[in-house]
Amino acid sequence: MTNWKEIDLLAKTWVKEAGQKIKEAMREEVTIETKSNPNDLVTNIDKETEQFLIDNIQSVFPDHHILGEEGQGDKLTSLDGIVWMIDPIDGTMNFVHQKRNFTISIGIFENGIGKIGLIYDVIHDELYHAFQGEGAYMNDTKLGKMKRVPLEKAILGINATWITENSRIDPNVLSPLVKRVRGTRSYGSAALELAYVASGRLDIYVTMRLAPWDYAAGCILLNEVGGIYTTLNGKSVNFLENTSVLAGNPNCHQTILSDYLSEQ
Ligand code: IPD
Ligand code: CA
Ligand code: CA
């Protein structure tokens, strides 16, 4: 029998230790490289943090599978068994340029079901965590169930990319939504934005392009507070694929799908 409480305890210990290591490493010079394009950054700290987490997981749970953004884990084609999805630094651009608003994000699944979600805002020392069926927390504070929020009073998390010329969505689709909501925010870490939705700092989050390690942990948090997440077509997300994500308060989610996205 899988001891999920042990996994939870170890995962939280390792994520905190990884955060401490990142803070220490930030005092030294960081090596920055680019990946798919000049704005897609990766540092030695991203890679070292991923390796640190993988080494710990493999030393205690050699039969668990690991999907990590920097590719040091396994190549996964299914969600069978226990799978850890790791983004060692979500918001690398923030890490490099702002030295804040980046997170370590870990989602742990059993046969495709989200069991544990951890999103650690290292600099603010805010650990968002959820255990399936037991609620979601920010540090020791339990997060409440989502209340109904009309779009007119909602704070929307969105990157300006999606309302300017881009290759994934006509900017005219979402710009009326930006006018309708109370305000918009963009934090530059998808995991942090999903944690903010789960904790009510944002009401809804929309993006055209995330990888599983960006949204896995956030979705597990949302499950515990009554949040909804789908693709922008209203379909279930596939935790093995890159996808668009619309996540948040159920009534905002429903209104956005029907008023803005039904023809997408
Ligand atoms: C990125 C951040 C960003 C999102 C990008 C992600 P990274 O992750 O989450 O907010 O808009 O799509 O790739 O590269 O910093 O781990
Ligand atoms: Ca990421
Ligand atoms: Ca990353």
Side-chain angles (χ1 to χ4, degrees), residues 90 101-103 119 121 128 187 189-197:
D90 185 54
N101 291 333
F102 59 86
T103 57
I119 297 175
D121 177 343
Y128 296 83
Y187 293 95
S189 157
L192 185 66
E193 286 165 307
L194 290 167
Y196 279 6
V197 172

Side-chain angles (χ1 to χ4, degrees), residues 4-5 8 115-117 129-136 220 224:
W4 282 100
K5 289 292 170 186
D8 188 44
K115 302 289 287 187
I116 292 169
H129 54 105
F131 191 99
Q132 186 197 24
E134 295 191 2
I220 297 169
E224 294 301 314

Side-chain angles (χ1 to χ4, degrees), residues 69-70 87 89-90 92:
E69 174 171 16
E70 306 313 335
D87 194 337
I89 297 186
D90 185 54
T92 300

Side-chain angles (χ1 to χ4, degrees), residues 10-197:
L10 286 171
K12 283 177 178 147
T13 306
W14 294 334
V15 91
K16 286 280 184 123
E17 283 177 13
Q20 190 53 38
K21 280 175 171 294
I22 292 175
K23 278 200 249 181
E24 284 161 19
M26 287 168 79
R27 296 192 206 119
E28 313 288 325
E29 196 168 335
V30 173
T31 310
I32 305 161
E33 293 166 45
T34 57
K35 295 196 282 186
S36 59
N37 66 64
N39 300 325
D40 186 7
L41 308 180
V42 64
T43 74
N44 58 311
I45 317 294
D46 295 62
K47 294 178 191 169
E48 286 164 23
T49 303
E50 181 165 305
Q51 197 59 56
F52 169 80
L53 293 167
I54 291 174
D55 288 346
N56 277 296
I57 297 161
Q58 286 178 338
S59 70
V60 184
F61 306 114
D63 54 331
H64 291 191
H65 309 290
I66 307 167
L67 182 67
E69 174 171 16
E70 306 313 335
Q72 295 157 150
D74 306 309
K75 304 273 168 272
L76 288 194
T77 50
S78 98
L79 290 175
D80 292 347
I82 296 180
V83 175
W84 296 59
M85 296 203 182
I86 299 178
D87 194 337
I89 297 186
D90 185 54
T92 300
M93 200 185 290
N94 288 351
F95 174 68
V96 169
H97 287 266
Q98 305 187 318
K99 306 202 171 9
R100 69 194 66 210
N101 291 333
F102 59 86
T103 57
I104 303 170
S105 181
I106 301 181
I108 313 177
F109 293 76
E110 184 181 40
N111 298 322
I113 308 292
K115 302 289 287 187
I116 292 169
L118 302 176
I119 297 175
Y120 186 37
D121 177 343
V122 174
I123 299 302
H124 297 107
D125 193 23
E126 291 187 337
L127 177 61
Y128 296 83
H129 54 105
F131 191 99
Q132 186 197 24
E134 295 191 2
Y137 291 78
M138 194 281 281
N139 292 338
D140 294 331
T141 307
K142 188 161 192 185
L143 304 180
K145 292 274 178 197
M146 284 188 179
K147 297 193 182 77
R148 211 183 153 75
V149 177
L151 264 187
E152 288 70 17
K153 289 187 178 170
I155 306 291
L156 166 73
I158 187 170
N159 187 314
T161 306
W162 313 129
I163 53 161
T164 49
E165 214 48 55
N166 71 85
S167 58
R168 290 171 197 259
I169 188 167
D170 179 341
N172 297 315
V173 173
L174 292 173
S175 54
L177 169 65
V178 168
K179 287 207 185 102
R180 180 162 165 195
V181 294
R182 177 166 276 174
T184 58
R185 297 290 183 271
S186 181
Y187 293 95
S189 157
L192 185 66
E193 286 165 307
L194 290 167
Y196 279 6
V197 172

